Amino acid sequence: MSRVRADEEEYWHSSKFRAFTFDDEDDELSQLKESKRAVNSLRDIVDDDDDDLERVSWSGEPVGSISWSIKETASGSTSSLDGRDSSLQKGSSSCAALPKQASSYSLSSLFKGEGFLCATQLCLSLSALTDTGVKNYAPELRRPKAEYKDYSSDWSPKDTVRRMQRGKVCSLERFRSLQDKLVLLDEAVAGHDGNVITAVLIFLKRTLRREILFRELEVRQVALCHLIHFLRETGEQKFLLDLLRFLDRTEEVALSQYREHLNIQDVEKRREFLKGCIGLPFSAEDTSHIQDHYTLLERQIIIEANDRHLETAGQSELFRKYPRKASILNMPLVTTLFYSCFYHYTEAEGMFSSPTNLKKTFKIPDKQYVLTALAARAKLRAWGDVDALLTTKNWLGYTKKKAPIGFHRVVEILQRNNAPVQVLQEYVRLVEDVETRLNLATKYKCHDVVIETYRDLKDRIQLTAYKCKVERGSADEEKINSILNNMVRNAY
C-alpha cells in the first residue's frame, strides 16, 4: 500500500503537468497578468506616431530604461514591425490562432534592469494577451500599416488625383520631372475637379520656371483659365500680367492694368492714373469708356469742390434744406446725373454741373435722362418741373405730353414720391392701354379716371359696381348717377 502511494506521488511530481499553486511565481497566469500590467503602463510612455524617436526621454528617464528600450528596438527592427502590423490588421481572430505559449522573457525583468525586449519578443508578449487586451492596447502601439500609405511616395499621377478628390493628404513633391508634372496636370484636368486642378497649378507655379509653365499652359486652355482666375482672385497682378503678355493678350493686359485704379484712394492720383490708361492698347469701344471715366472724374472733382464751398458757407437754400448725404466723388454717371438734377437743375448748359451739359457730354439717352430727372424732381415735389420735363412742342407750336419711359412708369414714380391725386390723375389719363389705365386708376383711387373710362366704354354694369366703392353723397357718386341716367335716356 505504501508502495502504491509512493508511485502516485512520483507520478504526479514527475508529470509535465503541475498542480495549481497560489505562490507559483513562474505560473503562466501570473506571467500573463504581469505582462498585461507592463503593456498597459507603456501607453503613457511609447509614442506610436513617430518613427524617428529621440534618444533622450522627455520624462527624464535614463537611456536603457524600459521606454527607451521599446523605442530603440521599434525603430531599429523594420521586418519585425511589418510582421506586427500585418498581425494587427487581421484583428483578434488571427491573434487567437497563434499558440499561446509562455514566453521565457518577462516584462517585469526589464523594469528590474535584467534585459531588453526586441520587437519580436514584444509581439510574443502581446499574443499571450486575451482578445480584449489586443483590442485595447495593440492598435495604440502603432498605426495600422494601411494608414501610412497616405504618405507613401509610390502613388501614380492618376491615383494621386483620385486621392485628392476624396480629400486625402497627398504629397506632390515626388513628381520632380517635367513629364511627371504635366501628366499630373492632365490627370487633374481629366478629373473635372476645380479644387484639384488649382492645387496642382499652385504646385507647378512654385516648382517650374515661368516661361516653361506658360508654354505648357498655352496648349492646355482649361488649366490656363483656372490659373488666370486664381491669379485674379489672389491679386497676383505682376504674375498675371507676365502670363497675359506671354500669351500676347494685349487687351487683357490693358484691362488688368486699368483695374488697378480701384486700389488708388487719393482722387488726384486716380485721375492721373486714368489719364495714363487712355493710351493703353484697348479696343475702340473700351478706349471710349476709359476716356469717359477720366472726364467724369474730372467733372466730379470740380463739382465737389464748388458744392462743398456752398454748403459750408450756407449760401444756398437748397443745401440748407437738403444737406448732402455723401460726396459725389467716384460715383457712377447715373448717380452724378441724379445729383445734378437734384441740386443744379436750373443751371445753364455751359456749367459743368448742369444736367443738360452732362447729357450732351456723355451722350446720355433720352430714356435714361427723363427717368433720372423725373425721379430727382419728384423727390423735391417740384411738379412744375415734372410737367415741363414731359411737355414737348412740335414744329407747328402745339404742345403735347410725351414720356419716353411710358406714362405708366411716370405714374409709379410720382406715386412713390407722394404726388397729389390731381397730379396722378393727369398722367393716368395719358396711359394708352385701357386695362392698364383702369388698374392704375383703381389702385391709386383716381375715381374720375375710372368713371370716365367706364363711360367711354358704355359699361353700365361696371359703373354700377364702382358706385359702391366711392363715398356716399360725394361728387363722384353724383357723377356716376348722372352718367347712368344719361345712358337710360339715350337707350330710349
Side-chain angles (χ1 to χ4, degrees):
M1 189 68 181
S2 61
R3 181 179 178 82
V4 174
R5 178 178 292 277
D7 291 339
E8 289 178 355
E9 292 290 332
E10 182 180 1
Y11 170 79
W12 285 108
H13 287 292
S14 63
S15 174
K16 62 180 179 179
F17 300 101
R18 290 176 293 177
F20 176 80
T21 57
F22 286 95
D23 56 348
D24 190 355
E25 295 180 355
D26 295 330
D27 183 69
E28 181 178 320
L29 181 61
S30 64
Q31 291 182 9
L32 177 60
K33 293 180 178 179
E34 189 175 7
S35 297
K36 281 186 177 181
R37 288 194 297 270
V39 174
N40 191 23
S41 66
L42 294 180
R43 298 176 62 189
D44 299 329
I45 300 175
V46 180
D47 185 0
D48 59 348
D49 288 334
D50 293 334
D51 288 336
D52 298 327
L53 299 173
E54 297 181 359
R55 293 294 182 266
V56 179
S57 173
W58 60 269
S59 60
E61 296 170 351
V63 175
S65 64
I66 178 62
S67 61
W68 182 88
S69 302
I70 296 300
K71 295 175 182 178
E72 182 67 19
T73 55
S75 61
S77 180
T78 306
S79 59
S80 299
L81 289 176
D82 292 339
R84 184 180 68 181
D85 288 341
S86 60
S87 65
L88 292 179
Q89 289 176 3
K90 292 179 181 179
S92 60
S93 60
S94 61
C95 292
L98 295 175
K100 295 186 179 181
Q101 51 181 315
S103 175
S104 60
Y105 293 89
S106 173
L107 290 176
S108 62
S109 64
L110 295 176
F111 286 100
K112 298 175 183 177
E114 296 178 1
F116 299 102
L117 275 179
C118 66
T120 306
Q121 294 162 353
L122 179 59
C123 289
L124 290 175
S125 298
L126 291 175
S127 65
L129 299 175
T130 62
D131 292 346
T132 305
V134 173
K135 291 179 181 178
N136 288 341
Y137 304 119
E140 298 182 12
L141 293 177
R142 188 174 176 88
R143 288 179 178 172
K145 189 175 180 180
E147 293 187 13
Y148 283 87
K149 292 182 179 179
D150 290 346
Y151 309 100
S152 173
S153 61
D154 297 332
W155 296 108
S156 66
K158 189 172 185 178
D159 293 335
T160 301
V161 170
R162 287 179 178 176
R163 292 181 65 78
M164 291 174 70
Q165 289 175 337
R166 295 197 298 267
K168 296 289 185 179
V169 177
C170 295
S171 175
L172 304 181
E173 300 298 332
R174 66 170 297 272
F175 300 102
R176 297 184 179 181
S177 68
L178 176 61
Q179 183 179 1
D180 289 344
K181 292 176 181 178
L182 295 179
V183 172
L184 179 65
L185 178 60
D186 292 337
E187 290 292 342
V189 172
H192 305 290
D193 190 320
N195 293 331
V196 176
I197 296 174
T198 303
V200 174
L201 285 172
I202 293 173
F203 169 67
L204 297 184
K205 174 176 171 290
R206 181 168 53 84
T207 57
L208 291 178
R209 291 205 305 267
R210 289 190 179 185
E211 54 271 19
I212 298 176
L213 178 61
F214 295 166
R215 184 184 68 239
E216 297 299 336
L217 289 179
E218 191 174 10
V219 296
R220 294 171 172 83
Q221 291 299 313
V222 175
L224 178 63
C225 292
H226 274 269
L227 182 60
I228 291 176
H229 180 74
F230 171 76
L231 294 174
R232 284 174 177 164
E233 289 295 319
T234 56
E236 298 185 52
Q237 190 68 14
K238 188 177 185 305
F239 196 99
L240 176 61
L241 291 177
D242 291 342
L243 174 59
L244 295 176
R245 290 191 185 100
F246 178 87
L247 299 172
D248 199 25
R249 297 185 181 181
T250 55
E251 291 188 20
E252 290 188 43
V253 172
L255 288 173
S256 297
Q257 288 183 280
Y258 168 69
R259 283 171 57 91
E260 285 296 305
H261 81 273
L262 298 174
N263 300 324
I264 303 175
Q265 301 299 326
D266 186 81
V267 180
E268 291 295 336
K269 291 181 179 179
R270 180 179 287 195
R271 183 177 66 85
E272 292 300 321
F273 179 83
L274 290 174
K275 185 177 181 180
C277 288
I278 296 175
L280 294 176
F282 290 104
S283 64
E285 184 180 1
D286 289 339
T287 301
S288 176
H289 291 324
I290 303 300
Q291 179 67 56
D292 287 344
H293 189 177
Y294 168 73
T295 305
L296 177 62
L297 183 58
E298 230 179 8
R299 295 284 182 91
Q300 289 174 345
I301 293 174
I302 297 173
I303 295 172
E304 176 68 20
N306 292 334
D307 289 356
R308 187 187 298 115
H309 174 71
L310 290 175
E311 188 177 27
T312 304
Q315 299 175 1
S316 172
E317 182 181 355
L318 188 59
F319 283 110
R320 289 198 304 269
K321 190 175 181 180
Y322 301 99
R324 299 189 310 159
K325 296 181 179 179
S327 169
I328 194 62
L329 295 174
N330 299 317
M331 292 295 179
L333 176 60
V334 174
T335 306
T336 306
L337 178 62
F338 181 90
Y339 177 91
S340 179
C341 290
F342 193 91
Y343 289 107
H344 304 282
Y345 188 72
T346 58
E347 288 185 1
E349 184 178 339
M351 302 292 293
F352 283 150
S353 55
S354 169
T356 53
N357 187 303
L358 290 173
K359 178 186 177 184
K360 183 177 179 180
T361 302
F362 297 102
K363 299 179 177 60
I364 300 175
D366 287 340
K367 276 188 177 183
Q368 185 66 65
Y369 178 80
V370 171
L371 182 64
T372 307
L374 178 64
R377 304 318 293 174
K379 193 172 185 65
L380 287 171
R381 302 179 66 82
W383 312 123
D385 292 339
V386 171
D387 185 72
L389 180 67
L390 299 175
T391 301
T392 59
K393 185 181 293 187
N394 61 14
W395 63 280
L396 293 175
Y398 294 104
T399 60
K400 61 177 293 188
K401 293 286 192 302
K402 182 180 179 181
I405 60 175
F407 283 105
H408 63 286
R409 296 195 65 184
V410 172
V411 172
E412 291 174 355
I413 293 173
L414 296 178
Q415 195 277 331
R416 282 201 302 267
N417 289 278
N418 302 317
V421 177
Q422 293 78 9
V423 176
L424 281 178
Q425 287 187 152
E426 181 180 356
Y427 295 101
V428 171
R429 286 191 180 95
L430 298 175
V431 177
E432 293 183 3
D433 184 72
V434 176
E435 184 176 355
T436 305
R437 186 195 315 153
L438 282 172
N439 290 336
L440 289 173
T442 305
K443 182 178 179 180
Y444 301 133
K445 297 182 180 180
C446 299
H447 300 309
D448 284 348
V449 179
V450 177
I451 296 169
E452 291 170 3
T453 304
Y454 285 141
R455 179 197 63 190
D456 296 339
L457 294 174
K458 298 180 180 180
D459 194 335
R460 297 180 63 244
I461 297 176
Q462 292 295 338
L463 269 175
T464 305
Y466 194 75
K467 181 180 176 180
C468 301
K469 298 180 180 180
V470 299
E471 187 177 352
R472 288 288 185 90
S474 63
D476 296 322
E477 186 182 31
E478 293 179 2
K479 188 174 182 179
I480 293 174
N481 290 332
S482 175
I483 293 173
L484 290 174
N485 291 335
N486 288 334
M487 286 182 178
V488 171
R489 285 196 298 268
N490 293 334
Y492 293 103

